[in-house]
Amino acid sequence: MKNNTTNQLLEIDALTLKNGLDQQKISLLDVREAGEFAGEHIKGATLLPLSQFDPKSPKLQGGKNIVLYCQSGNRSRQAAQKLLAAGVTEVMQLKGGINAWKQAGYSVEMNKNAPISIFRQVQIVAGTLVFTGTVLGYFVNPGFLILSGFVGAGLVFAGISNTCAMGMLLAKLPYNQVKN
């Protein structure tokens, strides 16, 4: 699928992806992190995390149409932009990510022993820090309320910028370093 006039990102739905996989016409790349991939992924997908995404990766070669996906579509869009900037003329992504795939009723390969998702880890750590700061602020010293405010500000920044420093730090922990 080459288009020599303009570079473009094409979104495909879950049914189109399923048909392409069934016909073995698609090379499916999961751009989520290793822990997320280990927990669940679409059968036949290859892991190429956005944090290590290289448009020259051998995983992007092979003659099949490449389709990128992540949890909801944000990270696969970022990976697609890297490919387009590197001169690839047409990039496809699964619209809505693995969430849309599951919503369409298609199965995923799951590993119950994989670490919980980074998103849930962030919720647990952020919630614990806010709760601890609030309790310590009330019972020990009001200065501890700064901890709750700091975490709240970090969450606002994460929402606005679509980057999460806490998530990036948690992803580096040894139990989140799952090898594929």
Side-chain angles (χ1 to χ4, degrees), residues 91-157:
V91 180
M92 290 185 278
Q93 78 165 1
L94 173 60
K95 184 178 183 178
I98 197 170
N99 291 339
W101 177 264
K102 292 188 299 187
Q103 193 171 36
Y106 299 121
S107 65
V108 294
E109 291 188 345
M110 297 187 78
N111 177 357
K112 299 290 184 193
N113 295 322
I116 61 174
S117 74
I118 298 295
F119 181 70
R120 285 186 54 208
Q121 291 178 46
V122 167
Q123 290 175 320
I124 292 167
V125 172
T128 301
L129 290 172
V130 168
F131 178 74
T132 301
T134 303
V135 169
L136 290 174
Y138 183 78
F139 290 110
V140 178
N141 183 322
F144 281 108
L145 293 173
I146 292 172
L147 176 62
S148 300
F150 180 74
V151 173
L155 292 172
V156 169
F157 177 78

Side-chain angles (χ1 to χ4, degrees), residues 42-61:
I42 298 172
K43 184 177 181 176
T46 301
L47 177 63
L48 186 57
L50 180 61
S51 62
Q52 303 166 15
F53 195 86
D54 178 4
K56 295 180 177 116
S57 171
K59 293 179 181 181
L60 294 165
Q61 313 306 318

Side-chain angles (χ1 to χ4, degrees), residues 4 17-18 56 87 134 139 162:
N4 294 324
L17 175 59
K18 175 81 168 100
K56 295 180 177 116
T134 303
F139 290 110
N162 198 27

Side-chain angles (χ1 to χ4, degrees), residues 10-14 67-69 72-73 76-77 92-101:
L10 302 174
E11 290 191 316
I12 63 171
D13 61 18
V67 177
L68 307 171
Y69 82 94
S72 63
S76 58
R77 189 172 299 106
M92 290 185 278
Q93 78 165 1
L94 173 60
K95 184 178 183 178
I98 197 170
N99 291 339
W101 177 264

Side-chain angles (χ1 to χ4, degrees), residues 30-41 46-52 59 69 75 109 111 113-118 121 167 170-180:
D30 188 325
V31 298
R32 298 173 303 150
E33 296 304 313
E36 296 171 283
F37 182 85
E40 68 177 2
H41 61 271
T46 301
L47 177 63
L48 186 57
L50 180 61
S51 62
Q52 303 166 15
K59 293 179 181 181
Y69 82 94
R75 287 177 282 181
E109 291 188 345
N111 177 357
N113 295 322
I116 61 174
S117 74
I118 298 295
Q121 291 178 46
L170 289 170
K172 294 183 184 305
L173 292 175
Y175 62 84
N176 285 322
Q177 299 302 309
V178 179
K179 304 293 181 210
N180 64 330

